[in-house]
Amino acid sequence: MRRHLLSAADLDLADATLILDTAELIDTALAGREVKKLPTLRGRTVVNLFFEDSTRTRISFELAAKRLSADVINFAAKGSSVSKGESLKDTALTLEAMGADAIVCRHSASGAPHRLAEWVQGSVINAGDGTHEHPTQALLDAYTIRRRLGRLDGVRVAIVGDVLHSRVARSNVVLLDTLGAHVTLVAPPTLLPVGVESWPAEISYDLDAVLPKAEVVMMLRVQQERMNASYFPSVREYSRRYGLDARRMAAMSDEAIVMHPGPMNRGMEIAAEVADSVRSTIVEQVSNGLSVRMAVLYLLLGGASTSEAGVA
Amino acid sequence: MTSAAWLIRRVRPYGEQAVDLLLRDGVIADAGHDLKAVGAQILDAGGLIALPGLVDLHTHLREPGREDAETVETGSRAAALGGYTAVHAMANTDPVADTAGVVEQVWRLGRDAGLVDVAPVGAVTVGLGGTRLAELGAMADSPARVRVFSDDGVCVADPALMRRALEYVKAFDGVIAQHAEEPRLTQNAQMHEGVLSARLGLAGWPSVAEEAIIARDVLLAAHVGSRLHVCHLSTRGSVAILARAKADGIPVTCEVTPHHLLLTDECVTGYDPLFKVNPPLRTAEDVDALRAGLAEGTIDAVATDHAPHAMEDKECEWAMARPGMLGLQQALSVAVEAMICTGLLDWRGLADRMSIRPARIGQLDDHGQPLETGRPANLTLIDPDARTVVTPAELASRARNTPYARRELPARVVATFLRGIPTVLDGKAQR
Amino acid sequence: MRAAQNAVQPAAASGRTILDSPAIARVIDRIAHEIIERAGDEHLGELTLLGIPTRGGPLASRLAQRIGLFVDRSADPIPVGSVDITLYRDDLRSRGVRPLSPTCIPDGGIEGRHVVLVDDVLYSGRTVRAALDALREVGRPRVVQLAVLVDRGHRELPIRADYVGKNVPTSAREQVRVSLVETDGIDEVVVR
């Protein structure tokens, strides 16, 4: 087990499968219970270090840590010493001195968790860094696919939208490839990065051509700030060419599912009747995120820490 | 200038036949075999190679404004230890070197340090703002005798302004050194745009942003009949454009940094901002093209783009870090690794690219001269067989942002003489 | 990220065999009879067997099957499940991460039931303590008992087994290895 979870690329097939299996076992262990709490990480401290607002991801990690009985500290960059100019390194060393066993880091700069990992003894979990990666999102997506379709190997997944700026897409492409799925990226050419041809994924500019074959359609959020930066002519044109509406959904195969990492722009990349349809896994993704994050926390913190291993 | 005489025994100029060199009164007073000189200090240089003192066209000394990162004195010391006898100090200080007053201050600080000749570069536009020409003539006429003008750090992007600058400096035989970067194509750019930027999720700095400006400026220079110098070439395409321009007889020169001759964008994978630099580290193909361009002379000079930064500007997130890396002290070693160890250049070729041509481009008459009797005694002595592991804490610069930490590099500067006076002896700075 | 796998151990090349296959079968039959006797006719219908993974699982299944046979309950089998105690261990910090095993509570739960926890070896007692913690979160049985194939001593907690297949005095340096057909391809208990 590595000490950190920084990138989906850190996970080989055995690692990724172990996380998904562990999430499933935690799910069954807690199924039907009134008190959904485990004593596993009692005495461990998990710090949520969020330099970017993301209430849903922070809450998910917080609940996951609390269900494992870890102490949780939320450290939001706003209103903290960080906004007074304290460097990431000083923040890291401060948290370390407070005895953080794990730091869950969300940052607007790609690679910030990698820097953090060089400065602290504890585990660092990347909860989304810039336009780089969001590995636990990819894990919960994979977990959701496996629960719905019963498998990942050979599953055909279409990832649709702003791939260029999406950490969700990057992590998913890497992880789904590791798990044996076939990924097709669908986007206007302006929203695909130069160099995307080196990714283990097919590329398409035509959503309608991809939909009938896809078993999973993962819609990416289009950020507000892209809408006026000439990545596409207008919201209407984007929605017409790359939005998933009821008409397009009808072209999908019967068992195919629709995913979205949230938050959604209803009416933009996804129509309300699609988001609320039986194909949609959007609500499940949230609860699955909890199980997957519990699994990651358990696997990173459940054993001897590096400093303790020597005396074990 | 009066000083003790130095007799350098059995040194090999350009790595060729060993001779004795007698340095006296600032010049090479004699060259030959078994020279005798009463009262001269003797330096046994058996096994060492002599090159004319190196000349850097592109150094950031940070003074005035960021003396916490580097001063004229500490930068001069790093330069001398790197085998340099002259450096061009870039204009992006605070205040910007866009007036005769600032360039003269930098020039005087250089004279006071007395380790290398510091030739200030003047800003092309006021405050590097890219809108109004700075008083180029006043800087040329000042005691600093500025001949190289550059907004380095930012590009003179406005084509009309660039044209005027190219034309205007003809009056005093100046040259515009362009930082070629189309700003609209590099907004928020963090690294070379390619396979790795896609994977690392860092905004790309496309090669075309450099090449488009170079192509434009080459055509402008041809149109107005002016001399153009292009800073820090970093792409294969740029080399091709320069080769074509030179073949067409356009008076253009260019430089490449040591780091672009050695490092690639693979260095970025750990997100350590020590490897953040502008223009960014490119691909192995680009490195090969730059080496070939330097070998065949399309690229005129190795120029360090020595860019000291305070620790807090590098020990941070990649996107927040300032671009730039130290270069002066390791430039020769890196050039030896990239060009001599690969057989692409011999020592005479290296002297041409690191001393003779940069001196000519910067119009420094005392530098880049042949190692022969009667010439200024600006030279450096190199142990070609030494190998050194780079230790940041031991560098002379005030900053520590070397990308070569823990790397073993070939060749070591043993001694440097500035007008016959040793600035470095036995690898140690003399003041 | 890889949890320590349960190492597949080679067949006993050395060590002494404490129980062989027929002996294990006899022991299981005896414990089955004891459970029936202690539960009495009154509570036999409340019986639920919960194995502690890994080898407590198959042991619980075998016991349930034998009990069913002895009291002729083939039409109404004894409920069997498993309860993984990994997430309740108090020694996680001193060893590598352990992979989890399934927890499977039979339909009807354990509320008011006569639960027999089943494990292969009783040693420090910490596993049983963790199992009791885990059970507490699932429900409130009327009574909880413990059945083990081997009791090797060295208890660190005030815990004892209600049903013991064989008491085996050991030194702390010795290893007791239980193999079962379901998990290891052979039935035997070896001390090394």
Side-chain angles (χ1 to χ4, degrees):
Chain A
M1 181 103 177
R2 285 178 186 239
R3 188 147 57 94
H4 310 293
L5 177 57
L6 302 177
S7 160
D10 295 345
L11 305 172
D12 61 18
L13 178 60
D15 296 328
T17 306
L18 175 65
I19 294 172
L20 301 186
D21 290 348
T22 301
E24 198 159 330
L25 289 165
I26 289 174
D27 260 351
T28 53
L30 292 178
R33 279 175 38 172
E34 251 173 54
V35 183
K36 292 188 185 295
K37 187 130 177 163
L38 295 161
T40 319
L41 297 183
R42 216 159 41 194
R44 301 280 191 178
T45 302
V46 174
V47 176
N48 285 321
L49 179 58
F50 276 56
F51 293 89
E52 227 181 34
D53 286 337
S54 175
T55 309
R56 55 176 64 209
T57 303
R58 184 185 53 74
I59 288 176
S60 180
F61 269 108
E62 181 172 353
L63 198 51
K66 283 183 169 167
R67 286 199 171 170
L68 289 168
S69 300
D71 296 322
V72 181
I73 297 169
N74 288 312
F75 194 105
K78 278 183 185 141
S80 72
S81 50
V82 173
S83 53
K84 292 173 197 142
E86 185 176 70
S87 74
L88 179 64
K89 183 173 185 180
D90 290 333
T91 304
L93 297 179
T94 304
L95 297 177
E96 172 107 328
M98 289 175 180
D101 295 293
I103 299 176
V104 177
C105 178
R106 162 67 69 101
H107 203 295
S108 60
S110 300
H114 295 70
R115 300 292 287 154
L116 208 54
E118 286 172 31
W119 297 323
V120 298
Q121 292 292 313
S123 296
V124 176
I125 300 172
N126 182 357
D129 62 328
T131 54
H132 177 226
E133 282 218 34
H134 192 353
T136 59
Q137 175 72 42
L139 284 163
L140 78 87
D141 288 339
Y143 185 58
T144 304
I145 295 170
R146 197 173 80 168
R147 296 198 89 176
R148 272 283 187 121
L149 303 181
R151 69 200 163 92
L152 282 159
D153 192 42
V155 169
R156 290 186 304 278
V157 182
I159 300 177
V160 185
D162 183 0
V163 175
L164 177 62
H165 300 98
S166 175
R167 49 194 172 211
V168 175
R170 276 178 184 73
S171 287
N172 261 303
V173 167
V174 172
L175 185 72
L176 287 171
D177 178 60
T178 301
L179 291 165
H182 300 304
V183 178
T184 303
L185 298 170
V186 186
T190 45
L191 290 176
L192 291 165
V194 166
V196 72
E197 63 282 354
S198 67
W199 293 8
E202 286 180 45
I203 310 294
S204 172
Y205 308 134
D206 184 355
L207 181 56
D208 289 312
V210 172
L211 277 183
K213 287 171 284 181
E215 296 167 271
V216 177
V217 179
M218 191 182 292
M219 303 305 296
L220 301 174
R221 176 179 168 77
V222 179
Q223 303 281 352
Q224 202 68 40
E225 63 260 35
R226 316 290 172 225
M227 296 182 190
N228 298 315
S230 293
Y231 288 105
F232 43 84
S234 69
V235 168
R236 206 169 51 177
E237 173 154 330
Y238 179 87
S239 189
R240 208 160 43 219
R241 291 177 71 89
Y242 297 100
L244 189 58
D245 56 13
R247 179 187 61 81
R248 281 212 167 97
M249 186 168 68
M252 292 167 56
S253 70
D254 289 342
E255 61 283 357
I257 58 173
V258 174
M259 308 180 74
H260 194 297
M264 290 179 278
N265 296 309
R266 286 178 185 245
M268 168 78 178
E269 73 266 3
I270 189 164
E273 56 263 53
V274 177
D276 300 331
S277 74
V278 289
R279 294 181 188 276
S280 164
T281 64
I282 293 162
V283 178
E284 284 160 70
Q285 282 171 271
V286 176
S287 57
N288 288 342
L290 191 56
S291 311
V292 160
R293 288 176 179 126
M294 285 176 78
V296 167
L297 285 170
Y298 169 64
L299 292 170
L300 285 176
L301 298 183
S305 67
T306 356
S307 52
E308 289 162 344
V311 296
Chain B
M1 184 171 293
T2 61
S3 63
W6 280 85
L7 179 60
I8 302 169
R9 284 232 165 102
R10 296 198 311 279
V11 73
R12 294 156 54 214
Y14 314 104
E16 295 161 6
Q17 282 298 312
V19 295
D20 295 351
L21 296 176
L22 179 64
L23 315 184
R24 180 181 282 152
D25 298 331
V27 298
I28 299 174
D30 200 0
H33 295 281
D34 300 320
L35 294 186
K36 301 276 189 292
V38 177
Q41 303 201 58
I42 291 173
L43 195 160
D44 182 1
L48 302 185
I49 290 172
L51 297 184
L54 307 183
V55 176
D56 193 15
L57 280 169
H58 196 142
T59 304
H60 297 275
L61 294 180
R62 301 292 183 227
E63 189 176 2
R66 283 307 298 262
E67 291 83 354
D68 58 325
E70 193 80 293
T71 63
V72 172
E73 184 188 334
T74 57
S76 293
R77 192 168 295 121
L81 288 164
Y84 287 88
T85 52
V87 300
H88 287 77
M90 276 297 171
N92 61 341
T93 48
D94 183 14
V96 171
D98 57 0
T99 63
V102 178
V103 293
E104 194 177 329
Q105 180 196 356
V106 172
W107 175 72
R108 284 195 196 285
L109 286 167
R111 278 222 313 196
D112 294 347
L115 286 154
V116 291
D117 286 349
V118 175
V121 174
V124 178
T125 65
V126 174
L128 309 179
T131 52
R132 271 189 309 132
L133 281 187
E135 291 189 345
L136 307 180
M139 291 188 270
D141 294 341
S142 80
R145 285 192 68 255
V146 177
R147 290 294 177 272
V148 181
F149 298 90
S150 180
D151 275 3
D152 180 65
V154 287
C155 181
V156 181
D158 179 343
L161 192 66
M162 184 63 182
R163 173 198 169 141
R164 297 296 174 229
L166 285 167
E167 287 176 315
Y168 191 77
V169 297
K170 281 203 284 190
F172 32 86
D173 200 17
V175 62
I176 305 293
Q178 175 71 298
H179 170 116
E181 174 184 356
E182 168 52 56
R184 288 285 296 146
L185 287 174
T186 57
Q187 281 183 335
N188 189 39
Q190 298 294 327
M191 70 172 295
H192 171 66
E193 181 165 64
V195 167
L196 276 170
S197 63
R199 196 178 88 204
L200 296 173
L202 290 170
W205 201 127
S207 298
V208 64
E210 173 175 312
E211 294 153 4
I213 292 292
I214 295 177
R216 180 200 78 178
D217 287 354
V218 161
L219 296 173
L220 278 176
H223 181 62
V224 298
S226 293
R227 207 149 69 85
L228 168 73
H229 179 74
V230 184
C231 296
H232 42 51
L233 246 61
S234 72
T235 79
R236 187 170 59 162
S238 298
V239 179
I241 295 167
L242 264 301
R244 165 80 189 275
K246 288 192 166 191
D248 289 351
I250 299 169
V252 55
T253 56
C254 63
E255 66 189 37
V256 62
T257 70
H259 45 270
H260 285 111
L261 290 172
L262 191 66
L263 307 175
T264 67
D265 58 351
E266 288 283 346
C267 295
V268 181
T269 48
Y271 295 96
D272 187 338
L274 284 177
F275 299 103
K276 182 172 177 175
V277 65
N278 192 16
L281 299 176
R282 304 280 185 190
T283 67
E285 282 184 357
D286 294 302
V287 168
D288 288 344
L290 292 165
R291 288 182 179 187
L294 185 66
E296 67 203 20
T298 301
I299 299 174
D300 297 272
V302 175
T304 64
D305 198 2
H306 178 83
H309 284 299
M311 198 77 96
E312 62 269 22
D313 290 325
K314 284 292 188 183
E315 268 195 340
C316 59
E317 302 87 327
W318 180 275
M320 284 66 169
R322 288 170 180 267
M325 35 183 73
L326 297 184
L328 283 170
Q329 231 174 311
Q330 271 67 49
L332 178 82
S333 289
V334 172
V336 168
E337 171 104 344
M339 305 305 293
I340 302 243
C341 296
T342 52
L344 289 167
L345 278 180
D346 57 14
W347 289 96
R348 216 172 250 283
L350 198 69
D352 180 66
R353 309 298 195 274
M354 295 191 77
S355 176
I356 298 164
R357 285 213 229 179
R360 202 181 302 150
I361 293 166
Q363 298 187 56
L364 302 177
D365 297 339
D366 279 359
H367 297 271
Q369 296 290 333
L371 295 172
E372 55 192 37
T373 308
R375 303 287 186 165
N378 296 322
L379 62 148
T380 185
L381 308 184
I382 297 154
D383 179 355
D385 301 321
R387 294 190 69 84
T388 312
V389 175
V390 178
T391 308
E394 293 173 1
L395 297 178
S397 278
R398 193 157 278 186
R400 293 287 169 262
N401 56 308
T402 174
Y404 309 114
R406 293 179 301 283
R407 192 185 274 262
E408 190 184 276
L409 292 171
R412 186 176 79 99
V413 171
V414 176
T416 306
F417 289 85
L418 178 64
R419 280 183 284 279
I421 300 171
T423 53
V424 173
L425 279 178
D426 198 20
K428 293 181 182 61
Q430 297 301 293
R431 52 190 294 182
Chain C
M1 284 180 64
R2 185 162 297 125
Q5 301 293 317
N6 284 336
V8 178
Q9 294 175 354
S14 59
R16 57 202 161 92
T17 301
I18 301 303
L19 295 169
D20 58 9
S21 178
I24 289 175
R26 279 196 304 275
V27 160
I28 287 175
D29 279 3
R30 176 170 56 73
I31 295 177
H33 280 297
E34 287 176 15
I35 292 174
I36 294 166
E37 196 179 313
R38 296 266 295 272
D41 288 344
E42 192 184 345
H43 297 299
L44 207 52
E46 299 165 6
L47 212 50
T48 294
L49 302 194
L50 293 179
I52 298 174
T54 309
R55 290 175 185 77
L59 285 175
S61 298
R62 288 195 206 181
L63 275 172
Q65 188 261 332
R66 299 308 280 174
I67 292 170
L69 193 70
F70 298 153
V71 300
D72 191 20
R73 299 224 345 192
S74 47
D76 183 14
I78 310 280
V80 188
S82 61
V83 54
D84 181 44
I85 55 95
T86 313
L87 294 167
Y88 292 87
R89 297 190 76 101
D90 63 1
D91 58 355
L92 287 168
R93 293 186 90 140
S94 57
R95 33 219 313 183
V97 168
R98 295 153 169 266
L100 306 187
S101 296
T103 289
C104 175
I105 303 299
D107 291 344
I110 60 168
E111 199 68 30
R113 303 286 296 182
H114 182 121
V115 171
V116 180
L117 287 171
V118 184
D119 203 358
D120 53 355
V121 179
L122 179 58
Y123 187 22
S124 68
R126 289 176 191 275
T127 301
V128 176
R129 186 202 61 79
L132 291 171
D133 285 348
L135 275 193
R136 196 183 57 182
E137 306 288 347
V138 179
R140 188 177 180 283
R142 188 179 59 75
V143 61
V144 180
Q145 295 183 326
L146 173 65
V148 297
L149 191 59
V150 173
D151 182 347
R152 61 170 295 193
H154 304 283
R155 210 78 73 244
E156 295 166 6
L157 293 169
I159 280 171
R160 60 166 184 77
D162 298 275
Y163 312 100
V164 178
K166 188 174 175 68
N167 283 294
V168 182
T170 58
S171 80
R173 279 197 309 278
E174 284 176 308
Q175 278 191 323
V176 176
R177 197 161 57 75
V178 173
S179 304
L180 296 174
V181 170
E182 294 90 329
T183 50
D184 312 280
I186 185 175
D187 275 359
E188 64 175 10
V189 179
V190 176
V191 175
R192 289 193 293 181

